[in-house]
Amino acid sequence: MNLYFRLFLIFIRTLRKKHIPIDDLANSVSVRVLPNDLDLNMHVNNGRYLTFCDLTRVDLFIRSGLASLMIKNKWNPIIAEHSMEYIRPLNLFDKVEVSMKITHWDEKFFYCTHEFHKDEKLIAKGTSRALVISKQGSLSPEFILQEVDTYQMQKNPQR
C-alpha cells in the first residue's frame, strides 16, 4: 500500500514541478525511508532502491510528456537491465534525494544513471538500460524523443 501512496504523491508533486525539456532529460525526487522499506538488518532493502528509481522514472515520464504519449499509444516502458552500487546504508526516516539522468541511447535502448544522496553524500549509484515497447515491438529512442519533442511543441509552442 505504501508504494501506491508514494506513487500518488509523485503524481501530485509533478503538478507543482517544472516541465522537463527534451534536451535535458534529468530529474530528482525526494523520499523518506519508512519502516516497510527496511530489511532484517534494519536498513533499506536492496529492492527498494530499485523502486525509488522507478519513482524517478515516473516523475520524468509525466513532466516530459512521455506518460501522456504512452497512455495514448499504449506503449510500455521496460527496464531491461539495472545495476546498483551500494556505498552507505540508508536508515529509518532518512531523507534521500534520488536523481536520474538519461545519458545516451542507441538504436534500441536508453541508458540512465541513478544517484542517491543524503545530506549531499553519495549513498548509492546505479545504471539502467530501458526501452519502450508497443504491440508491434520495441520503439527506437530516436522515435520516442521525436514524439516527445512534437508533443512538447504542441503543448508549449513558445519554448
Side-chain angles (χ1 to χ4, degrees):
M1 188 65 183
N2 171 46
L3 299 178
Y4 289 114
F5 179 72
R6 281 191 170 138
L7 188 59
F8 177 73
L9 282 178
I10 292 294
F11 284 121
I12 298 302
R13 287 180 185 166
T14 58
L15 299 175
R16 295 180 290 170
K17 284 184 166 180
K18 206 171 101 177
H19 174 77
I20 295 176
I22 192 73
D23 59 347
D24 185 26
L25 294 174
N27 67 322
S28 67
V29 298
S30 294
V31 294
R32 175 118 12 224
V33 176
L34 299 175
N36 64 325
D37 297 325
L38 304 179
D39 61 16
L40 294 175
N41 296 317
M42 299 308 292
H43 57 74
V44 172
N45 174 286
N46 61 332
R48 192 64 82 198
Y49 283 87
L50 303 181
T51 300
F52 292 158
C53 290
D54 285 341
L55 294 175
T56 63
R57 284 188 284 277
V58 170
D59 179 78
L60 181 123
F61 294 163
I62 294 169
R63 293 174 53 209
S64 69
L66 180 56
S68 295
L69 291 170
M70 288 191 295
I71 291 166
K72 176 184 170 192
N73 296 303
K74 298 181 180 167
W75 298 340
N76 292 304
I78 304 292
I79 295 297
E81 179 183 2
H82 192 101
S83 66
M84 289 294 300
E85 178 183 351
Y86 307 99
I87 300 165
R88 294 178 177 86
L90 281 174
N91 300 301
L92 187 60
F93 302 122
D94 283 347
K95 186 175 181 181
V96 62
E97 193 73 20
V98 185
S99 63
M100 175 193 153
K101 181 168 182 65
I102 296 177
T103 58
H104 61 287
W105 52 87
D106 59 23
E107 8 355 281
K108 186 173 182 178
F109 296 103
F110 289 99
Y111 296 86
C112 309
T113 59
H114 308 270
E115 290 188 349
F116 291 70
H117 288 91
K118 178 187 151 203
D119 301 326
E120 299 186 25
K121 290 183 182 169
L122 184 63
I123 301 299
K125 60 184 176 178
T127 59
S128 61
R129 190 168 52 110
L131 70 154
V132 178
I133 61 169
S134 71
K135 289 183 180 182
Q136 292 75 33
S138 64
L139 303 170
S140 75
E142 289 291 336
F143 173 77
I144 295 297
L145 293 172
Q146 188 175 45
E147 291 294 303
V148 169
D149 189 42
T150 300
Y151 176 85
Q152 289 182 357
M153 286 293 289
Q154 291 170 348
K155 288 289 184 183
N156 185 12
Q158 287 82 26
R159 59 175 190 140

